[in-house]
Amino acid sequence: MKNFVIRLVKNNPVLYRGAKKVYRTFQPAGPTVYRNHDLCITYIIQNTEEMPQILAHYNSLRRENTRIVVLVAGNTLKMHGLFRRYPGVTFYSVDYCRRYRKQINIKNMILTDAGQAVSDIIELF
């Protein structure tokens, strides 16, 4: 009898939607883990004047699923200026992470510099 009712509900779309709503009221779905499959092209800079070169290098190898991340060593007072001047770029301060013993967790990271050939990096995609 139980199997007959289950088959009847599964074959009827209206009954199936109703049964699913009733089931989800008593058994809500658990939270899902968000997974990001973007590649982070990461650069390390000492001097903030290197940013136009880095952006030109990044634009030459940019793909649909890439993001730019810049690690700034020193120049912590100039970080807010960088945030305002380059809104699409993610900046991290290396000095801040060392001082407060924080870890930079960047998944799918490709570490490069503006002088590296683009053909070497594109092979990794």
Side-chain angles (χ1 to χ4, degrees):
M1 181 71 176
K2 180 180 168 184
N3 290 337
F4 174 74
V5 172
I6 290 173
R7 245 184 282 133
L8 177 71
V9 170
K10 281 189 175 182
N11 291 332
N12 189 342
V14 175
L15 291 176
Y16 185 74
R17 280 193 302 258
K20 197 158 78 169
K21 284 184 182 181
V22 169
Y23 177 77
R24 283 295 169 208
T25 57
F26 295 113
Q27 291 285 330
T32 60
V33 177
Y34 175 72
R35 293 201 168 102
N36 188 354
H37 298 292
D38 289 350
L39 293 173
C40 295
I41 309 297
T42 308
Y43 299 92
I44 298 177
I45 63 169
Q46 300 282 337
N47 194 357
T48 57
E49 284 81 32
E50 298 174 23
M51 277 305 295
Q53 298 166 351
I54 287 175
L55 288 176
H57 186 263
Y58 174 70
N59 287 332
S60 65
L61 62 92
R62 181 182 207 162
R63 295 287 184 270
E64 184 177 313
N65 61 341
T66 58
R67 293 185 309 145
I68 182 170
V69 177
V70 177
L71 305 175
V72 180
N75 298 322
T76 56
L77 298 176
K78 296 182 180 181
M79 289 289 289
H80 292 288
L82 290 172
F83 291 143
R84 279 186 238 109
R85 197 173 313 140
Y86 305 105
V89 181
T90 305
F91 292 98
Y92 289 111
S93 174
V94 175
D95 297 333
Y96 176 85
C97 294
R98 285 186 184 140
R99 174 181 278 169
Y100 296 107
R101 295 188 179 106
K102 302 282 184 184
Q103 288 184 346
I104 300 173
N105 294 323
I106 302 173
K107 305 288 185 209
N108 301 330
M109 179 179 72
I110 298 174
L111 186 62
T112 184
D113 60 348
Q116 188 173 4
V118 176
S119 61
D120 296 340
I121 301 167
I122 289 180
E123 292 174 359
L124 298 174
F125 289 98

